[in-house]
Amino acid sequence: MKWEPVIGIEVHVELDTDSKMFCGCRVSFGDPPNTHVCPVCLALPGSLPVPNRKAIQEIIRLGLALNCRINPDSVFHRKNYYYADLPKNYQISQFDVPVCVDGWLDVESDETRFRVGIERVHMEEDTGKSVHVGEGGRIHSAAETLVDFNRAGTPLVEIVSRPDLKSAADARTYAQELRAVVVETGVSDARMERGSIRFDANVSIRPEGSPRLGVKVEIKNMNSFRSLEKAIRSEIGRQTALVTAGERVVMETRHWDEEAEVTHGMRTKEGSSDYRYFTEPDLAPMAFDSSWVEEARSLLPELPALRRDRYRGMGVRPAAARVLASSDPRLRSLFEEAVESGADPVAAGNWVTGEVTASLRRREASVGELPLRGDQIAALTRMVSEGRVSAGAAREVLEGVMDGEGSPSEVATRRNLLQLSDRTALEEVVEEVMAANPEAVERYRSGEGKVRGYLMGQVMRATSGRADPRAVNEILSARL
Amino acid sequence: MPSQPLSITSAGAALRSGETTSVELLAAVMSRAEMTESELHCYLNLDREGAMSAARRADRELDRGEDRGPLHGIPVAVKDNMCTRGLETTCSSKILAGYRPPYDATAVARLREAGAVIVGKTNLDEFAMGSSTENSAYGPTRNPWDTGRVPGGSSGGSAAAVAAGSAIAALGSDTGGSIRQPASLCGVVGLKPTYGLVSRYGLVAFASSLDQIGPLTRTVRDAALLLSAVAGHDPADATSYAGQTPDFAGSLDRGVDGLRLGVVKELGGEGYQPEVSEATEMMLEKLAARGAEVTEVSLPLFDVALSAYYLIAPAECSANLARFDGMRYGLSVKGSTASDTMSDTRAEGFGPEVIRRILLGTYALSAGYFDAFYGQAQKVRSLLLDEFSEAYEKVDVLVSPTSPTTAFRLGERTQDPLAMYMSDICTIPSNLSGHPAISVPIGLDSEGLPIGFQVMAPALGERLMMAVAAEVERLAGFDALPPPALAPPPGVPL
């Protein structure tokens, strides 16, 4: 029997608000432990939550960007479970009336385009952080566990997809697209390495073509898109091996082990947990004004999918358009400024997604440190199309510009990279080459066409590669 | 000339006329406490130093002509489930033994702002769960009228302190009757305001959708004054009422002429102590004689309100008390894992009634039972509110006894939780509806125990409710005092 995977992704995003979800403490990262805490986020007796208006506005913006319907009277619930880093031993979350429901996201990769359903986007609060110290340092082998409550109460949005994904690669593509939308709306910096965006996957398999869903396994602890893809692939493999061997998949939560590249079952059986959700009595139901929601919708920025189409409409190659549409806004504005300054969109797109990005990587520089302007890209592409520099030399010109040596033409001149297209000078060079290689000239003239390439190479060598190949060709044709 | 123990009103007058000082008032209250505490145990903690410095400050301010209003310089007791900065706050539970909050509850902060002198923290049923103050981990409070009897609960310490004169007034909290029932059993006035009128910030939560802070005082006027000091919007409580609060003492002399009083049919008859019913009847006749239109009103869902309450309140408490886990504050019984520490701490720190309610609530919220229990109770609650609304189309206020019986004996109901729960049969509906209600003493039974009369009003109907309560107070002319050894001394002749 052939088996097919069914995958859904749950994403947690920490919102980039100034203060926490239910108190005035600052949202922080990397500060000394327990320095951003108060009676509310420490759950001291008697303290009460007050919702963060900004966070609610942000989740609505995100929901709209994901094409969701906004519930006008959304409510908070308590999700009850005991854990040392959960101060109240319940999490204020949402249950049956989340802020945003029934959305979708259009996703594409080199191979496919598809739509992923968004079941819900709901508001909740983050937990504190357990720090396992001493001995093994892992959950089960640490001597001690300390808790840092700086993160406790950080506004957290959970985005739950429908089980629409059919492969590990698709899941990765979806996750990347979703992250791009999150970044675009500006609700979070969405940095995986800081945990400000976290992906969990629900994976099950079923006989190919079956309408029924299999038993799902939740996998956690993936800290990069690569590991998300690998973890899902590994889990699909594990489940397929199980059922092929006649065994059953058990509903459970499994941890991805980055080093061993396998998932491990957790000791606790979470499949049986009962969170005893009930309406949070400390908070009144929310009430969203529909005109406010419509205004928020109209103020949404251009999202990656639309931008992709726009770039393609400008003639940018599909792959470059996709990369560019989801790239850092500063890279995009570099591209857009270049086009505005007269660059050919195809060339500008290729430069920005290709050589500029590569150069940044080589320099280990961030986009924020980008020492380049759009008009410089435009000038560079013009120099190439006009034949003033070769494609290869243009890369060196870019480096020079990024090194702060001046405008592209200044760099090309200073570094002696301009193509030689002066007819008289080139004719002299060709004469010299022909004089130095009489044999080759003879062979060519007697019908050995490929010798022409050799002669061309000699001309290039004599000019350190700066000779305009078109002009050299013309002269060679005339002389030979 | 009759001479009564000090009230906020009489003490305030004496302060301003220069007859007494806040320090003297405090000394009088403290000496009462010295005399009665060994017998009554109203307080878990008397804050002698803090109170004295507050009293001195109050006097200095008055000397300078700075008058913070009616509560200025008045010794007030606070139930020990409200956070007091730096002052031990235990909720009568072992799990919070020695716990000193880093902040004041909003109601406490407002008391201080109003110039009140906080005498100390009063005893209660653990986490306010109970109707007799016997569920305190630190021993019960006794009723000043008969020390073999309970003061009611859960605000039993506050009620008994006011009755015995070891406080001039007190704050309590009322989740199912915890202000009104002890007020009734101790012969003082107890008022539960409209839900949201007094901030719950800093009140250690029992059942968040029902809890409300309110005054226990000697007179209806005092209740109005104390309520005015603590009521009003608080941005730290998202369920706090955002509108303006009225002058609660403004309509106390209005009388009942032309008002429609609805006698709740379901709160009387079988199970009610005959003397309680008789005293209630007599009061209704007197009110009618003053021009009130008295009719009987039936609210059938009152019969199931108790059951709904005992699902909703435990459900909420099962989550509210989850934070007491030995991780951050209070008792911590170290186990070999975090999970063991949590369960060992809770098993050791909570008393049996608290554990019973956490279990009840956990069960009521569990998958497979939720709809039948918690869900059903919420439906009852919403229908009950409809029933109240219908009734308030026909009448202005509803009236009933506050408690089916006068004070019962210590130990009498501790082995029978259901009998104990029945103590709150008259008070619970107003918590479920979020409406205000007040208990006013109207007389004594044949054993010399106080009887309370309850007036209920629609949301934010405090002014009308207190107008009726003030008339009840005048008509009852209740000036009886507990036996001499425990009765507060007469204050300033009025």
Side-chain angles (χ1 to χ4, degrees):
Chain A
M1 196 189 294
K2 275 209 76 172
W3 298 87
E4 66 175 12
V6 177
I7 303 156
I9 304 283
E10 287 176 18
V11 186
H12 285 92
V13 179
E14 285 182 354
L15 295 184
D16 228 346
T17 49
D18 292 335
S19 57
K20 292 186 180 180
M21 188 59 218
F22 297 112
C23 64
C25 289
R26 213 173 78 212
V27 168
S28 63
F29 180 84
D31 285 349
N34 298 311
T35 49
H36 301 292
V37 292
C38 75
V40 177
C41 56
L42 285 177
L44 296 194
S47 63
L48 293 171
V50 176
N52 181 335
R53 177 181 296 270
K54 183 76 198 295
I56 305 286
Q57 290 171 346
E58 296 290 66
I59 191 178
I60 290 176
R61 278 161 38 75
L62 182 57
L64 291 171
L66 295 171
N67 308 293
C68 289
R69 183 164 58 76
I70 307 301
N71 269 321
D73 46 5
S74 185
V75 291
F76 284 110
H77 274 67
R78 290 185 184 177
K79 178 180 182 180
N80 296 286
Y81 66 97
Y82 282 82
Y83 205 80
D85 61 18
L86 182 65
K88 298 186 290 290
N89 285 318
Y90 60 81
Q91 180 190 33
I92 303 180
S93 181
Q94 297 201 277
F95 184 54
D96 52 356
V97 200
V99 178
C100 321
V101 288
D102 294 337
W104 44 263
L105 183 61
D106 282 337
V107 179
E108 63 169 70
S109 66
D110 288 341
E111 298 84 30
T112 55
R113 297 183 70 151
F114 52 94
R115 175 168 286 193
V116 180
I118 307 282
E119 190 182 306
R120 56 190 281 144
V121 180
H122 76 241
M123 190 80 240
E124 57 187 32
E125 54 178 339
D126 212 343
T127 61
K129 238 183 211 157
S130 294
V131 186
H132 306 288
V133 294
E135 302 194 17
R138 310 283 288 264
I139 294 180
H140 296 299
S141 57
E144 256 190 314
T145 298
L146 304 174
V147 189
D148 175 6
F149 291 106
N150 281 351
R151 196 181 71 177
T154 297
L156 198 61
V157 164
E158 182 172 333
I159 305 156
V160 183
S161 85
R162 296 200 184 280
D164 290 350
L165 296 155
K166 296 180 174 64
S167 72
D170 282 1
R172 175 186 183 157
T173 308
Y174 163 74
Q176 284 171 325
E177 180 78 22
L178 186 64
R179 181 182 179 277
V181 171
V182 168
V183 170
E184 198 60 61
T185 49
V187 302
S188 171
D189 60 1
R191 291 166 70 168
M192 287 183 88
E193 74 281 9
R194 285 188 166 196
S196 60
I197 188 164
R198 313 195 276 268
F199 297 91
D200 301 331
N202 288 311
V203 179
S204 65
I205 56 168
R206 63 183 174 192
E208 204 169 60
S210 162
R212 300 229 323 263
L213 290 169
V215 175
K216 78 174 177 190
V217 170
E218 186 177 11
I219 49 176
K220 288 177 175 286
N221 199 37
M222 290 80 77
N223 53 19
S224 68
F225 291 119
R226 227 177 110 252
S227 65
L228 174 73
E229 183 175 350
K230 276 187 180 166
I232 294 173
R233 190 162 288 140
S234 147
E235 179 57 23
I236 294 169
R238 189 188 70 88
Q239 292 186 17
T240 309
L242 270 179
V243 295
T244 307
E247 289 177 54
R248 282 180 18 197
V249 175
V250 184
M251 181 149 123
E252 62 177 341
T253 299
R254 298 179 69 85
H255 257 233
W256 170 245
D257 183 334
E258 186 73 50
E259 282 153 39
E261 301 204 340
V262 289
T263 58
H264 293 302
M266 293 170 73
R267 288 188 185 179
T268 52
K269 285 190 178 168
E270 296 212 355
S272 60
S273 56
D274 173 7
Y275 293 118
R276 302 189 307 280
Y277 281 99
F278 72 101
T279 312
E280 167 57 277
D282 286 331
L283 298 169
M286 292 170 255
F288 307 131
D289 188 38
S290 63
S291 68
W292 185 87
V293 172
E294 285 319 306
E295 195 192 334
R297 193 195 303 276
S298 71
L299 293 174
L300 278 180
E302 181 185 39
L303 296 168
L306 280 176
R307 188 179 304 122
R308 218 152 44 208
D309 292 344
R310 180 164 65 84
Y311 287 170
R312 278 178 197 151
M314 290 162 70
V316 179
R317 285 196 198 124
R322 197 176 60 244
V323 172
L324 202 52
S326 309
S327 68
D328 189 282
R330 285 162 296 201
L331 274 183
R332 290 196 320 258
S333 56
L334 185 69
F335 163 77
E336 302 211 356
E337 279 164 29
V339 174
E340 268 168 45
S341 307
D344 167 39
V346 181
N350 289 344
W351 272 103
V352 173
T353 58
E355 206 47 41
V356 171
T357 311
S359 173
L360 276 175
R361 203 174 303 131
R362 276 196 302 274
R363 289 158 190 260
E364 295 180 358
S366 76
V367 188
E369 304 163 84
L370 190 72
L372 200 59
R373 296 193 314 265
D375 61 299
Q376 294 171 322
I377 297 278
L380 191 58
T381 57
R382 221 162 19 237
M383 285 172 77
V384 175
S385 68
E386 286 169 359
R388 290 167 59 211
V389 291
S390 69
R395 282 201 275 277
E396 206 182 324
V397 173
L398 177 77
E399 289 299 311
V401 174
M402 289 177 74
D403 285 339
E405 292 171 17
S407 71
S409 73
E410 281 165 1
V411 172
T413 309
R414 197 168 304 144
R415 291 200 180 186
N416 215 13
L417 294 167
L418 286 173
Q419 296 206 95
L420 282 179
S421 41
D422 176 72
R423 269 247 74 100
T424 332
L426 281 178
E427 275 172 5
E428 268 175 42
V429 177
V430 172
E431 287 292 329
E432 283 167 23
V433 166
M434 286 175 68
N437 297 281
E439 253 180 71
V441 173
E442 205 47 47
R443 276 163 60 199
Y444 179 78
R445 283 182 177 154
S446 61
E448 233 183 295
K450 61 183 178 183
V451 182
R452 186 190 172 107
Y454 169 79
L455 290 169
M456 179 82 175
Q458 291 304 306
V459 174
M460 285 306 200
R461 178 188 283 183
T463 58
S464 321
R466 292 157 55 218
D468 178 351
R470 228 174 347 168
V472 174
N473 250 326
E474 279 171 28
I475 297 168
L476 272 177
S477 299
R479 294 298 163 106
L480 288 167
Chain B
M1 201 176 223
S3 178
Q4 276 288 299
L6 289 168
S7 64
I8 294 175
T9 317
S10 62
L15 270 176
R16 283 168 190 78
S17 71
E19 270 173 84
T20 188
T21 62
S22 180
V23 169
E24 281 175 20
L25 286 173
L26 179 65
V29 160
M30 284 292 179
S31 83
R32 281 299 297 160
E34 301 288 334
M35 283 163 59
T36 58
E37 272 303 282
S38 60
E39 196 81 23
L40 298 179
H41 191 221
C42 301
Y43 286 94
L44 294 174
N45 187 7
L46 281 163
D47 183 22
R48 291 186 172 78
E49 278 175 35
M52 186 49 82
S53 86
R56 288 209 182 96
R57 190 178 330 117
D59 284 336
R60 279 198 305 275
E61 287 177 347
L62 272 186
D63 284 348
R64 287 199 300 264
E66 290 168 32
D67 192 335
R68 293 172 181 266
L71 269 294
H72 193 122
I74 306 293
V76 177
V78 173
K79 188 178 182 179
D80 201 34
N81 61 351
M82 288 171 230
C83 289
T84 42
R85 187 181 176 144
L87 185 63
E88 194 175 349
T89 299
T90 67
C91 297
S92 286
S93 181
K94 273 196 285 182
I95 214 160
L96 278 177
Y99 174 67
R100 291 171 195 278
Y103 73 102
D104 273 335
T106 299
V108 170
R110 287 189 176 166
L111 269 189
R112 295 194 205 277
E113 193 56 34
V117 172
I118 293 170
V119 184
K121 307 296 290 291
T122 57
N123 200 7
L124 64 148
D125 287 296
E126 186 176 358
F127 285 106
M129 297 177 195
S131 310
S132 69
T133 318
E134 290 166 294
N135 296 336
S136 167
Y138 305 104
T141 296
R142 289 164 185 269
N143 193 317
W145 296 81
D146 177 348
T147 54
R149 293 177 188 264
V150 302
S154 63
S155 312
S158 285
V162 174
S166 51
I168 290 179
L171 285 183
S173 68
D174 191 317
T175 306
S178 278
I179 288 174
R180 291 160 289 158
Q181 185 257 17
S184 174
L185 270 49
C186 289
V188 299
V189 174
L191 187 159
K192 182 200 89 79
T194 302
Y195 183 81
L197 202 52
V198 181
S199 169
R200 292 184 295 115
Y201 192 76
L203 168 69
V204 182
F206 159 17
S208 314
S209 75
L210 303 161
D211 295 342
Q212 189 59 195
I213 291 172
L216 291 112
T217 54
R218 298 207 70 83
T219 68
V220 174
R221 177 172 299 276
D222 278 8
L225 295 175
L226 186 47
L227 178 59
S228 297
V230 296
H233 181 65
D234 177 11
D237 175 358
T239 62
S240 159
Y241 172 65
Q244 282 291 314
T245 49
D247 170 16
F248 297 110
S251 58
L252 297 179
D253 302 322
R254 184 211 174 278
V256 291
D257 190 27
L259 290 184
R260 299 167 302 169
L261 271 54
V263 183
V264 182
K265 179 171 167 255
E266 285 73 17
L267 300 182
E270 202 185 328
Y272 283 72
Q273 188 179 321
E275 289 169 289
V276 169
S277 304
E278 284 156 23
T280 308
E281 280 296 318
M282 266 176 58
M283 178 50 67
L284 291 171
E285 281 167 25
K286 289 181 187 169
L287 287 164
R290 287 299 175 98
E293 186 189 312
V294 180
T295 54
E296 191 177 72
V297 181
S298 175
L299 292 96
L301 284 173
F302 272 39
D303 288 340
V304 290
L306 190 77
S307 308
Y309 174 86
Y310 275 101
L311 290 166
I312 293 168
E316 291 184 13
C317 102
S318 73
N320 282 332
L321 271 61
R323 67 186 60 192
F324 302 103
D325 58 5
M327 291 289 140
R328 282 146 296 133
Y329 46 78
L331 179 73
S332 186
V333 182
K334 294 275 185 287
S336 58
T337 65
S339 173
D340 286 350
T341 300
M342 288 187 187
S343 35
D344 293 353
T345 298
R346 292 166 66 77
E348 177 148 342
F350 289 140
E353 182 61 26
V354 171
I355 290 176
R356 181 181 357 260
R357 296 202 195 187
I358 290 172
L359 289 175
L360 266 173
T362 304
Y363 189 75
L365 290 173
S366 293
Y369 299 100
F370 183 94
D371 291 339
F373 294 118
Y374 183 79
Q376 193 68 17
Q378 288 292 13
K379 278 182 208 153
V380 169
R381 185 175 188 176
S382 135
L383 292 172
L384 178 73
L385 200 56
D386 294 344
E387 231 174 64
F388 262 115
S389 302
E390 265 175 55
Y392 284 129
E393 281 170 18
K394 289 177 244 155
V395 297
D396 298 307
V397 296
L398 292 167
V399 296
S400 75
T402 307
S403 166
T405 68
T406 55
F408 43 93
R409 292 183 191 287
L410 266 87
E412 190 180 318
R413 297 184 187 175
T414 44
Q415 297 312 308
D416 185 353
L418 285 181
M420 188 71 92
Y421 294 173
M422 289 299 287
S423 311
D424 297 327
I425 189 98
C426 305
T427 47
I428 276 172
S430 303
N431 295 90
L432 289 172
S433 67
H435 293 162
I438 189 170
S439 177
V440 182
I442 54 170
L444 299 177
D445 70 4
S446 54
E447 292 181 272
L449 300 168
I451 296 168
F453 183 88
Q454 180 175 235
V455 185
M456 296 167 264
L460 301 169
E462 272 86 357
R463 272 170 68 98
L464 194 62
M465 177 180 87
M466 279 192 264
V468 176
E471 189 63 40
V472 170
E473 185 178 47
R474 283 189 290 271
L475 291 170
F478 183 82
D479 56 4
L481 291 173
L486 293 168
V492 183
L494 297 175

